[in-house]
Amino acid sequence: MIEIKKNIFWTGIKDWEMRHFHGHELSTHRGTSYNSYLIKDEKTVLVDTVWDPFREEFVSKLERDVGLENIDMIVINHAEPDHGGSLGYLLDRLPSRGIPIYCTKNGAEIIKKHFNRDDMNFKVVKTGDTVNIGEYDLVFVEMQMLHWPDSMLTYVKGAATALSNDAFGQHYAGISLFNDEVDNCELYEEAMKYYANILAPFSPLIKKKIEQIREMNLPIEMIAPSHGVIWRKDPMQIIDKYYEWSLDYNEGHAIIIFDTMYNSTREMGKAIAEGLETRGIKVKLFNAANTDQSDLITEVFKAKAVIIGSCTVNNTVLRPTAGLLEEIRGHKFKGKIGAGFGSYGWSGEASKIISTTLEKAGFKVAQPPLSLKYRPDENELAQCRAFGEKIALEMSAL
Ligand code: FEO
């Protein structure tokens, strides 16, 4: 166990090998951690568990370092298996039955369904509910949809520490537990990827929640999430970042994501990039087929204009583009410009599908899709450059 604040200990697991999370949905190039915390006050409180493949290691360490018989209560901030997953195993290993489990109403429902057992002593809490544990009080703050309907934050009053669960986390097995002892470029890359891929669909709720937390005026000296490193130095920086990210965030540049069979759509994408650059817009290009899809979602999150191209195959887009479009649709990004392009041989549906999908996903799509037959010639490449210039003008106007 590592003491992170007086009598508050990290008792989690660093998963250095994790490379895909949520099944295979999300890439995690730098591993992750499942942060569980133990508060040793007059009452000994365990806050969250770890993902169930690590349950034995987790519970054995608790047994060695604390003694299972000494745990008086459990707080489950979030029932998703990466945090609540070891609860059933832990309860079975505890020497006595009926330990109180503090969670939200939704949390109790999910935990019951997950473990299918009726011997759990739930203490259902809502925002503002407080429990004294000795020197410290635990104040609960519901964080609905950050990340599931049951999510909550446990604020340790007296230690000015927010145990925030998924919020403010990163899938990052760092060299240290603390933000002031890790590479902050890595840390912010992972924090933003986490927000873009997991939390961005809930941005309007996040904005409101951060406003509510600010209004509660809780002194915050430390934010300890359930994944990645703990914000010990200037903890408000990540709250301020989340607020910024929740406001239709972009960094002002364009990205072009192309998917190609025989280079024509790649050539189109490069010519569109030239057009954008002519008008002073910075642009990055990605091949959808060989770029990690979670990283692409982060790039979409950062971009002001997202221009996607695929050649047409069997009356539709290529498979990587199809998956990417579906993921973009689910993320509900706001305040971005979109456009579709692509080469074709005879039917040419791909660019229209891209354009329509982006529009339905909430992008502002002003340019008609650009479709070119077979290989683009010089005149057609000039059309692509002009297409890029028009998008650049739109971006300046937005
Ligand atoms: Fe880290 Fe929503 O679980």
Side-chain angles (χ1 to χ4, degrees):
M1 294 202 303
I2 298 170
E3 190 168 29
I4 62 164
K5 195 88 173 162
K6 185 185 161 201
N7 294 333
I8 305 178
F9 299 83
W10 177 87
T11 182
I13 297 280
K14 273 193 193 176
D15 187 350
W16 294 98
E17 295 175 61
M18 168 66 77
R19 288 296 178 267
H20 291 100
F21 194 75
H22 283 162
H24 278 262
E25 271 299 286
L26 177 69
S27 65
T28 54
H29 306 314
R30 296 186 174 101
T32 191
S33 69
Y34 317 105
N35 298 342
S36 164
Y37 299 99
L38 190 93
I39 309 169
K40 283 187 181 173
D41 204 339
E42 283 173 25
K43 288 207 166 103
T44 298
V45 184
L46 179 71
V47 180
D48 292 322
T49 69
V50 301
W51 192 33
D52 43 0
F54 295 93
R55 62 189 188 175
E56 202 170 328
E57 182 181 343
F58 170 67
V59 174
S60 296
K61 279 186 184 167
L62 280 176
E63 195 164 34
R64 182 193 67 197
D65 298 337
V66 192
L68 298 181
E69 69 283 3
N70 294 319
I71 300 174
D72 298 305
M73 56 186 269
I74 298 172
V75 174
I76 297 291
N77 279 325
H78 178 26
E80 192 169 353
D82 51 326
H83 310 296
S86 297
L87 180 63
Y89 180 75
L90 172 65
L91 294 181
D92 289 339
R93 293 274 302 268
L94 289 178
S96 59
R97 304 293 111 190
I99 189 168
I101 300 167
Y102 288 76
C103 61
T104 60
K105 185 167 174 283
N106 287 326
E109 196 179 303
I110 296 169
I111 293 166
K112 270 188 227 163
K113 187 77 175 69
H114 189 83
F115 292 104
N116 194 25
R117 51 195 284 173
D118 53 16
D119 62 343
M120 292 176 162
N121 177 18
F122 291 112
K123 303 287 180 194
V124 169
V125 293
K126 54 186 186 320
T127 296
D129 286 354
T130 302
V131 176
N132 177 260
I133 57 167
E135 183 184 350
Y136 295 148
D137 288 314
L138 303 183
V139 183
F140 303 106
V141 182
E142 288 167 276
M143 302 280 274
Q144 207 166 31
M145 299 319 294
L146 260 105
H147 157 233
W148 276 12
D150 66 311
S151 297
M152 70 172 185
L153 171 156
T154 298
Y155 177 73
V156 188
K157 197 173 165 188
T161 295
L163 307 177
S164 60
N165 200 265
D166 277 338
F168 315 120
Q170 331 89 44
H171 284 304
Y172 180 36
I175 196 163
S176 161
L177 270 185
F178 301 104
N179 68 321
D180 50 301
E181 293 178 345
V182 299
D183 178 333
N184 271 241
C185 293
E186 285 186 359
L187 170 59
Y188 263 100
E189 193 178 319
E190 297 303 341
M192 180 182 268
K193 180 175 179 178
Y194 188 96
Y195 186 97
N197 280 272
I198 299 173
L199 298 176
F202 312 113
S203 285
L205 288 172
I206 291 168
K207 176 178 174 290
K208 277 192 202 149
K209 184 50 68 179
I210 288 176
E211 285 164 357
Q212 186 196 3
I213 290 172
R214 283 175 173 165
E215 279 163 21
M216 288 173 85
N217 251 335
L218 302 168
I220 296 179
E221 290 174 8
M222 177 176 279
I223 297 175
S226 58
H227 296 291
V229 303
I230 293 165
W231 303 89
R232 173 172 74 176
K233 184 179 177 189
D234 182 17
M236 296 311 285
Q237 64 179 291
I238 191 62
I239 293 190
D240 294 343
K241 269 289 164 206
Y242 263 45
Y243 197 70
E244 186 186 340
W245 292 342
S246 74
L247 302 173
D248 301 347
Y249 182 76
N250 73 69
E251 296 176 0
H253 61 273
I255 59 168
I256 296 173
I257 304 171
F258 62 86
D259 213 347
T260 192
M261 288 170 89
Y262 293 111
N263 279 331
S264 299
T265 303
R266 177 187 281 113
E267 286 178 24
M268 289 178 74
K270 285 180 158 182
I272 294 167
E274 276 185 52
L276 285 157
E277 284 168 338
T278 302
R279 294 279 176 177
I281 296 291
K282 292 193 169 55
V283 59
K284 289 160 99 173
L285 277 84
F286 301 93
N287 184 328
N290 66 15
T291 310
D292 179 281
Q293 191 146 319
S294 306
D295 293 339
L296 274 182
I297 289 294
T298 313
E299 294 294 342
V300 171
F301 177 66
K302 292 194 283 184
K304 185 171 183 178
V306 179
I307 305 159
I308 300 181
S310 169
C311 58
T312 298
V313 60
N314 298 331
N315 308 108
T316 188
V317 296
L318 290 173
R319 189 173 54 209
T321 299
L324 179 67
L325 286 173
E326 190 56 16
E327 196 163 355
I328 288 174
R329 193 182 65 76
H331 274 71
K332 304 181 178 71
F333 293 118
K334 298 275 186 309
K336 297 183 190 294
I337 288 168
F341 68 97
S343 77
Y344 69 100
W346 46 98
S347 60
E349 290 90 344
S351 58
K352 298 182 197 88
I353 290 170
I354 294 166
S355 189
T356 308
T357 309
L358 288 176
E359 194 158 26
K360 283 186 185 159
F363 286 68
K364 183 171 177 280
V365 180
Q367 298 308 314
L370 179 63
S371 302
L372 296 179
K373 199 162 186 179
Y374 294 114
R375 184 148 226 156
D377 60 24
E378 272 312 311
N379 285 337
E380 288 168 326
L381 289 174
Q383 275 183 52
C384 294
R385 288 192 288 275
F387 186 75
E389 286 194 52
K390 283 182 207 159
I391 293 170
L393 292 175
E394 271 183 68
M395 288 174 71
S396 306
L398 188 70

